[in-house]
Each structure stands twice: as C-alpha cells, then as structure tokens.
Amino acid sequence: MHPRVGRLHHGVVYISGVRHDGQGRADRSNRTLNRRWVDITNGSRRAMHLDHWTLSDAEGRTYTFRHVRLDGRATVRVHTGVGRNTKTDLYQDRRTRVWDTNTDTATLCDARGRVIDTVSWGHDQRRDAAGRRHHGDHAVGHRH
C-alpha cells in the first residue's frame, strides 16, 4: 500500500518514505516496532537544524526532534521503538505502535508548528493546501 502525498509547504525538508505495515497485531517486540518508520530527507545542500520539529500521526501521538542536525542531501529514519540515536537513525522510544496499518497520516511540522509535509495512506482522496487531488507517492520501504 503506497501512501498518498499531501504536501502543504514545499520545503527543502520532507517526508521521503514511510513503512507503516511492519507489525502484526499481537507482536509488540522492540524489533517489530523498529520496522515501522518514517524517513525525513533534507533536499538542500546545507544542513538543517530540526530541534523542536515534530512528527505526529492522525491521533496526535507526537515525536519531538531534539538536538538533530540533518546534513544536506541526507536522510534520517525515525523508528517507532527503542534504540540508540545516530546520525542516520532516530528512535521514538515507544513500547507500542504509532502508525496504523489501514489508515493514518504522518505530519512533519517545523519548530513554529507550521505543517511542512504530510503523507497519508488508506484514505480515498487526499487534497493539498489548494484543494487539488495529489497522486504522487512517496517511496515506501527503503532509504534514499
């Protein structure tokens, strides 16, 4: 299932991939939780500081970026479970899933709370800020 794009602000930082289907209903192991992730990419040449940026789901479960510098042309993967943060992998340190398999929306906001990008899946129609249907898909299952 490919998520549909709902890009609201065309920023240089964007959601470049989502894996929301890596967990069975009964399996809450940390390994399984970490198979569910969202990739955030910096499309510019210069580094961006993501301190106080947020990544949230449709129900309002929110991860706040702390002391994160994303190099130019780099991607960081935000895993659901517990782990040790590195330059390429961040962990929400959750013990339960965040991303719903059937329908959900991942929303990236900057430090001022402005929506930078959204990716939805399981919705029949997704419209951008201008009300247009958007048909492009983000990559699912791999890092850029």
Side-chain angles (χ1 to χ4, degrees):
M1 182 182 326
H2 292 286
R4 293 185 185 247
V5 177
R7 189 162 313 234
L8 299 179
H9 291 263
H10 194 272
V12 296
V13 177
Y14 58 95
I15 298 171
S16 57
V18 175
R19 182 164 183 203
H20 56 84
D21 61 349
Q23 175 180 336
R25 288 187 176 160
D27 187 357
R28 292 186 178 179
S29 72
N30 191 57
R31 181 176 180 191
T32 301
L33 288 171
N34 282 331
R35 289 184 186 148
R36 297 169 71 102
W37 45 256
V38 175
D39 280 347
I40 308 296
T41 296
N42 179 359
S44 75
R45 292 183 184 179
R46 45 175 252 246
M48 299 285 294
H49 291 278
L50 303 184
D51 290 341
H52 305 293
W53 285 46
T54 60
L55 179 64
S56 59
D57 73 344
E59 293 182 15
R61 291 176 285 227
T62 302
Y63 169 76
T64 301
F65 294 83
R66 304 263 189 238
H67 311 293
V68 176
R69 179 180 185 263
L70 185 56
D71 290 336
R73 308 271 189 241
T75 297
V76 66
R77 180 163 287 172
V78 182
H79 301 271
T80 300
V82 176
R84 184 171 167 237
N85 291 342
T86 67
K87 199 171 190 178
T88 58
D89 293 277
L90 300 174
Y91 297 85
Q92 295 189 47
D93 293 335
R94 293 183 183 272
R95 304 273 183 209
T96 60
R97 68 183 180 157
V98 172
W99 310 111
D100 291 331
T101 300
N102 296 328
T103 182
D104 209 340
T105 299
T107 301
L108 179 67
C109 293
D110 68 12
R112 293 183 180 174
R114 292 179 296 199
V115 175
I116 300 301
D117 198 9
T118 65
V119 173
S120 295
W121 54 93
H123 300 281
D124 291 334
Q125 296 182 12
R126 183 70 182 157
R127 299 184 183 274
D128 65 14
R132 298 177 301 244
R133 286 183 71 182
H134 191 82
H135 298 285
D137 288 334
H138 284 290
V140 175
H142 66 321
R143 185 178 307 208
H144 296 273

